[in-house]
Amino acid sequence: MTSLPLRDSVPTGVAVSADRDPGWGLEDRVVLVAGAAGGIGSAVVGALLSAGARVAAVDLAGPALDRLRASAPGERCAVIAHDLVEIEAHGSLIDTVEGSLGPLWGLVHVAAILRRRPSVDDVTADDWDRQSEVNLRSAFFLSRAAGRAMIRTGRGGRIVTFASNAAWTGGLQGSVAYAASKGGVVSMTRGLARTYGPHGITVNSVAPGEVDTPMFWEGMDDATYQGMLRQIPLGRLARPQEVASVVVFLLSEHASYITAAALNVSGGFQTY
Ligand SMILES: NC(=O)c1ccc[n+]([C@@H]2O[C@H](COP(=O)([O-])OP(=O)(O)OC[C@H]3O[C@@H](n4cnc5c(N)ncnc54)[C@H](O)[C@@H]3O)[C@@H](O)[C@H]2O)c1
């Protein structure tokens, strides 16, 4: 009987390697974080800097971005004020990032707005448009601009978008417009993964459940909060750092064969 030859990738022994730390492969890689001054965004910036990456931290001008600028190490972190709704400026934003930090390896689009209305009858056309514009439209156009830059560089890359638990639940009452924008992010992410896969670019979304950030507490009342806690098997909100570490994983070499996925980071609230 003949046996097939072992391929190089088939392990033939235990290899103990010092380079498989959680941020494996991110040293000096350039990552743009859009929505960097928020609860999860600032945790992502911190986690990426800890992993040795060079970070472009992008958000709206304001006190939160000023605080980020004051605390970030200048030589490895460029803090840039930019309204992501201005999609015509996405190409020049990427050029600015590459000019100051180097070729783009990763994009994390974490920016979003949530308008929790008491009921569907309270949702206005402006609510629908603004949430779609920031959460979905800007995510598509910035991902496409990043994809073009990564293809130009020819070294592959990583794109991470932000969905939500709400994409599966449909949201609560008047947050249906937000939920719909996040459902769109999941579909868009799958489509971009199929488009960019042949270029070695992975595209995944992270779908948090309930995270202790300013967004979570927006329009939240105690009864709703207690009801949510009862549905989370882990019995608590996530800390922003617990979501940031998933983003670092997706950007790292550890996740080189994951694409088109939506990662469930809901403490067991969702079971897909
Ligand atoms: N906090 C939660 O419980 C939760 C749950 C599920 C999903 N998410 C998702 O996680 C991501 C991060 O949420 P968070 O809780 O950190 O929210 P956050 O409100 O703390 O941060 C969002 C950031 O996006 C920025 N932003 C909004 N509009 C922008 C624009 N036009 N241009 C540039 N920046 C803009 C804001 O300034 C803010 O810094 C979002 O996509 C959100 O939908 C959060």
Side-chain angles (χ1 to χ4, degrees), residues 94-112:
I94 304 253
D95 290 346
T96 303
V97 170
E98 294 202 310
S100 61
L101 295 175
L104 190 70
W105 166 253
L107 166 69
V108 185
H109 186 285
V110 63

Side-chain angles (χ1 to χ4, degrees), residues 22-109:
W24 179 39
L26 281 172
E27 299 79 11
D28 285 326
R29 290 265 165 99
V30 175
V31 181
L32 191 168
V33 181
I40 295 172
S42 52
V44 168
V45 172
L48 284 170
L49 290 171
S50 304
R54 299 161 72 79
V55 181
V58 176
D59 207 304
L60 295 169
L65 196 64
D66 293 342
R67 281 194 296 277
L68 192 74
R69 187 177 283 112
S71 59
E75 69 290 355
R76 283 199 296 122
C77 185
V79 177
I80 302 170
H82 185 95
D83 185 341
L84 295 164
V85 164
E86 310 292 338
I87 58 169
E88 306 78 15
H90 285 176
S92 59
L93 172 66
I94 304 253
D95 290 346
T96 303
V97 170
E98 294 202 310
S100 61
L101 295 175
L104 190 70
W105 166 253
L107 166 69
V108 185
H109 186 285

Side-chain angles (χ1 to χ4, degrees), residues 34-41 58-60 64 82-85 109-114 116 130 134-135 138 162-166 178 182 206-216:
I40 295 172
V58 176
D59 207 304
L60 295 169
H82 185 95
D83 185 341
L84 295 164
V85 164
H109 186 285
V110 63
I113 53 172
L114 163 64
R116 262 192 196 112
R130 280 297 292 170
V134 177
N135 305 0
S138 86
F162 263 75
S164 165
N165 210 9
Y178 170 84
K182 293 298 184 174
V206 172
E210 317 302 341
V211 191
D212 189 4
T213 71
M215 177 181 284
F216 175 80

